[in-house]
Amino acid sequence: MTRNLLSGPEPDPARDAGHKDAPPRVGFFTDTSVCIGCKACEIACKEWNAIPEDGLSLSGMSYDNTQGLGSSTWRHVAFIEQSAPADGPPSPAGRTVLPMAGTEPEGPGDAATQSSGSASDMRWLMSSDVCKHCTHAACLDVCPTGSLFRTEFGTVVVQEDICNGCGYCVPACPYGVIEQRPSDGRAFKCTLCYDRLGAGQEPACAKACPTESIQFGPLDELRERAALRVDQLHESGVSEARLYGHDPEDGVGGDGAFFLLLDRPEVYGLPPDPVVTTRDLPAMWKHAGVAALSLAGGLAMSFAVPAVLRGKARR
C-alpha cells in the first residue's frame, strides 16, 4: 500500500525528499509571551538576506509598518492591542499592561492602577510571524520548475534563479506567506537562513532576538520545550496560552515554525485550522482519470456502434 505524502503525519520529510544522510529536522519556536516588539528580527532578516525595504511609514492602525508577511517581509512583528476587562485573566508573565490611548497617569501612585486590570487598561499581543516551513508544503507541491525544494534540514526554500514567476505557489499556501515581488514577478519567502544553517550557524532572526522569543533548534526538542512553557504559563494563571502549528496530526502535518499564542489564532491573523491545499490532489487525479477513461470509452462506442450498424445494412 502506497503512502499519501500529501496528508497525515510525516516523521522525516527531508529523507522522503531524497536526503539520505539528513540531520535532525530543525525549526523555530516563537514564544509570543516574551516578545517585546523590538523588530530586531525584522532588521536582522533584512540585513542578512539583502531584502529591500517595504514600508517606512506607519500603517495608521498600530505601530506596525509592514502589516504582514510578503516577498520583502520574511519576518513580521505584529502589534495587536486588546482591551483588558476588569475581571479578565492576569497579564502574561513578564508583560506590562499599558493604559488605553488618551489616559495619562495623574501621579506616581497611578502607575500601579494602570496595571491593575481596570476597564481602561489594555495589553499588547506581540508576535513575530514567519513562513511555517510546513511538513506538507503545498507551495512545493505545485511548483512546476523545481524552484521550491525541501532542504536536508526539513525546511522549504525558493531558488530565485529558477523561479519563473508563474505564481502557482501564492494561492497554494494556506497561510498566505509566499508572495511575488512586483518588480520582477518572482516569488520570495523565508529560507530559514539556509546559507547560515549550512555553515553551522543559527538563523539571523533568532540570533538577534534579545528576549529569546524566537528559539531555533531541533524540532523535537523545541516541541518539548514549548509544552513545558505552556504548562508554566498555565500555572502562572495565563489560561489562554496555547501552542499553534506544533501538532503533526494537523492539516499540514505540523509546522517547522510553530508558536505559543496568548489568544485564539484568528486574533493574530492566523487560520484556526490550516489544511494543505494539495491534500486532495491524489483523489482528484484518480477521479479525473476515471472520467477520462469513461469519456474515451463513450467516444469509442459512438464510433463503433454506427460501424456495426452499417455492416449489418450491407448484408
Side-chain angles (χ1 to χ4, degrees):
M1 180 179 178
T2 58
R3 183 160 51 95
N4 181 6
L5 296 181
L6 299 181
S7 64
E10 179 56 57
D12 201 342
R15 290 182 183 274
D16 280 330
H19 301 286
K20 296 181 179 179
D21 299 320
R25 185 182 180 186
V26 297
F28 286 129
F29 164 47
T30 302
D31 183 353
T32 69
S33 69
V34 294
C35 178
I36 59 175
C38 67
K39 292 179 179 270
C41 55
E42 283 193 21
I43 301 302
C45 178
K46 280 185 174 293
E47 287 186 346
W48 181 261
N49 295 289
I51 304 173
E53 68 86 10
D54 61 333
L56 298 179
S57 301
L58 295 176
S59 65
M61 302 298 293
S62 74
Y63 291 108
D64 183 1
N65 64 321
T66 50
Q67 303 184 58
L69 294 171
S71 59
S72 298
T73 303
W74 298 359
R75 267 282 179 188
H76 167 244
V77 178
F79 288 76
I80 302 162
E81 301 173 2
Q82 278 191 338
S83 296
D87 58 349
S91 177
R95 186 72 61 82
T96 300
V97 179
L98 303 174
M100 288 289 285
T103 62
E104 298 293 337
E106 297 180 359
D110 288 333
T113 305
Q114 291 172 11
S115 61
S116 63
S118 66
S120 64
D121 287 345
M122 61 168 285
R123 69 171 180 172
W124 290 104
L125 295 181
M126 298 173 184
S127 174
S128 180
D129 196 11
V130 72
C131 170
K132 313 307 180 291
H133 293 274
C134 308
T135 298
H136 301 301
C139 60
L140 192 156
D141 294 336
V142 302
C143 180
T145 65
S147 171
L148 280 142
F149 73 100
R150 179 81 63 181
T151 74
E152 66 270 29
F153 302 103
T155 59
V156 179
V157 173
V158 183
Q159 300 173 93
E160 57 187 72
D161 58 331
I162 299 178
C163 177
N164 67 355
C166 68
Y168 294 162
C169 55
V170 177
C173 177
Y175 297 101
V177 166
I178 196 165
E179 184 184 50
Q180 292 173 273
R181 192 166 289 168
S183 59
D184 62 10
R186 291 178 299 170
F188 293 85
K189 73 172 191 67
C190 162
T191 66
L192 217 145
C193 286
Y194 182 44
D195 52 347
R196 292 176 65 92
L197 298 188
Q201 299 178 318
E202 65 180 323
C205 57
K207 183 74 173 179
C209 182
T211 64
E212 296 186 356
S213 171
I214 302 172
Q215 301 178 33
F216 166 79
L219 199 56
D220 291 339
E221 293 182 13
L222 292 178
R223 286 170 176 165
E224 293 179 5
R225 192 183 307 169
L228 293 174
R229 176 60 176 158
V230 171
D231 291 340
Q232 180 185 17
L233 287 174
H234 287 172
E235 291 173 1
S236 300
V238 188
S239 59
E240 294 186 349
R242 71 199 72 189
L243 294 179
Y244 177 83
H246 69 296
D247 186 4
E249 300 283 348
D250 68 13
V252 295
D255 292 325
F258 65 101
F259 303 80
L260 187 155
L261 305 180
L262 299 176
D263 209 324
R264 293 171 295 110
E266 301 94 311
V267 173
Y268 295 84
L270 297 168
D273 189 19
V275 174
V276 59
T277 52
T278 53
R279 178 189 61 181
D280 298 322
L281 274 180
M284 292 169 63
W285 281 114
K286 180 180 179 180
H287 292 313
V290 172
L293 288 174
S294 299
L295 179 61
L299 289 173
M301 289 293 294
S302 66
F303 286 103
V305 170
V308 172
L309 293 177
R310 285 197 297 270
K312 290 182 177 180
R314 289 178 185 149
R315 293 176 187 173

